[in-house]
Amino acid sequence: MATPSIQQIRPASLDSTSEPPALFDGTTRLYISYVCPFAQRPWITRNFKGLQDKIELVPIDLQNRPVWYKEKVYPPNKVPSLEHNNKVIGESLDLVKYMDSNFEGPSLLPDDPAKQKFAEELIAYSDTFLKEIYGNFKGDIEKHAGPQFDYLEKALNKFDDGPFFLGQFSQADIVYAPFVERFQIFLKEVFNYDITSGRPKLAKWIEELNKLDSYIQTKADPKEVVDVYKKKFLA
């Protein structure tokens, strides 16, 4: 479990009343939102690579966004984005790969070409995974979401040298973790659907994720997840 000594204190979210940071002053900044699963991906990457002192975390209040974020930082006005070397880049999948390639710390891709290829397949499939589940919250959960969790279960059977998709923790785990976290909470609370039932590898994967400080520090508030998803998908 996480030890208090390395738990990160979460900075307050910046809103429409907040002044911008000293933009493009050479500081590398990761702009996130605490409620956004896409932003959680590069946040986990930052933590796992031990870049807490190299990349400043700048949380944005998505319900009350500062005007300067769109005007001066990232015109698409979404999170995540990364301010690095006098430019700003976005898109969570791109950021995970960019941060892994351009910063020090343990690599999140193994040298094994077969594992690299499988990582690309898993990452490419993630959009389909999300569409199939998000698009069917009002339908038959077992019929539509079930096969997606079966896909993960099967993927976790491919390499047996560790509990993660490629054996060791990698980009592929980071891509799925924030969403599985939320789906597990929401589907159990609202539909009494247990995503780990009959999926022992998935259950073990979640258990092992929850031993990683780099992930634990990024987890969402379960009550907030349920509230946000109810409003967004069941209203």
Side-chain angles (χ1 to χ4, degrees):
M1 290 301 294
T3 52
S5 60
I6 57 170
Q7 278 287 20
Q8 295 286 302
I9 295 169
R10 292 187 175 189
S13 295
L14 303 185
D15 63 17
S16 62
T17 66
S18 307
E19 290 295 313
L23 301 169
F24 305 112
D25 63 349
T27 304
T28 301
R29 297 181 177 93
L30 176 63
Y31 296 88
I32 65 155
S33 158
Y34 292 132
V35 299
C36 176
F38 294 97
Q40 194 176 348
R41 287 167 165 172
W43 184 10
I44 297 168
T45 306
R46 163 192 177 265
N47 292 355
F48 188 81
K49 292 182 76 70
L51 299 167
Q52 288 90 335
D53 294 334
K54 300 267 170 49
I55 301 178
E56 181 185 333
L57 202 65
V58 183
I60 300 291
D61 180 349
L62 295 182
Q63 304 307 313
N64 185 19
R65 296 172 213 219
V67 173
W68 52 258
Y69 182 67
K70 180 178 183 179
E71 290 180 349
K72 298 180 179 178
V73 180
Y74 192 52
N77 205 22
K78 302 186 297 184
V79 291
S81 70
L82 183 75
E83 177 189 338
H84 182 231
N85 287 346
N86 287 318
K87 66 178 188 291
V88 177
I89 54 175
E91 297 301 328
S92 64
L93 296 179
D94 295 338
L95 283 181
V96 170
K97 293 175 182 178
Y98 180 87
M99 290 166 70
D100 198 21
S101 302
N102 289 278
F103 292 89
E104 64 195 50
S107 174
L108 282 157
L109 269 187
D111 295 329
D112 182 343
K115 289 187 173 184
Q116 289 181 6
K117 182 171 180 288
F118 192 51
E120 285 302 322
E121 287 173 24
L122 284 165
I123 292 168
Y125 187 76
S126 62
D127 283 346
T128 301
F129 174 83
L130 297 181
K131 278 181 196 150
E132 285 296 315
I133 297 178
Y134 278 132
N136 287 290
F137 277 155
K138 290 184 176 177
D140 183 332
I141 296 296
E142 180 57 62
K143 182 179 174 185
H144 296 289
Q148 301 309 314
F149 296 115
D150 291 342
Y151 172 88
L152 298 187
E153 181 72 12
K154 185 180 177 187
L156 286 162
N157 274 289
K158 188 167 176 77
F159 296 107
D160 59 4
D161 55 339
F164 299 108
F165 286 119
L166 308 182
Q168 304 312 303
F169 188 69
S170 74
Q171 291 181 16
D173 303 293
I174 287 173
V175 165
Y176 284 92
F179 296 93
V180 173
E181 173 191 323
R182 285 161 175 78
F183 294 152
Q184 183 178 31
I185 293 164
F186 181 69
L187 294 176
K188 182 69 178 167
E189 175 72 23
V190 176
F191 300 100
N192 197 29
Y193 180 77
D194 179 2
I195 66 170
T196 63
S197 179
R199 301 182 184 103
K201 293 277 189 184
L202 184 59
K204 180 67 174 168
W205 180 78
I206 293 169
E207 182 188 327
E208 292 298 321
L209 275 178
N210 280 289
K211 294 177 184 175
L212 297 175
D213 287 311
S214 51
Y215 165 68
I216 294 166
Q217 291 164 8
T218 69
K219 288 180 73 171
D221 173 352
K223 183 181 181 305
E224 195 167 13
V225 168
V226 172
D227 290 347
V228 167
Y229 275 30
K230 274 183 177 174
K231 275 183 202 151
K232 193 167 182 180
F233 298 107
L234 300 182

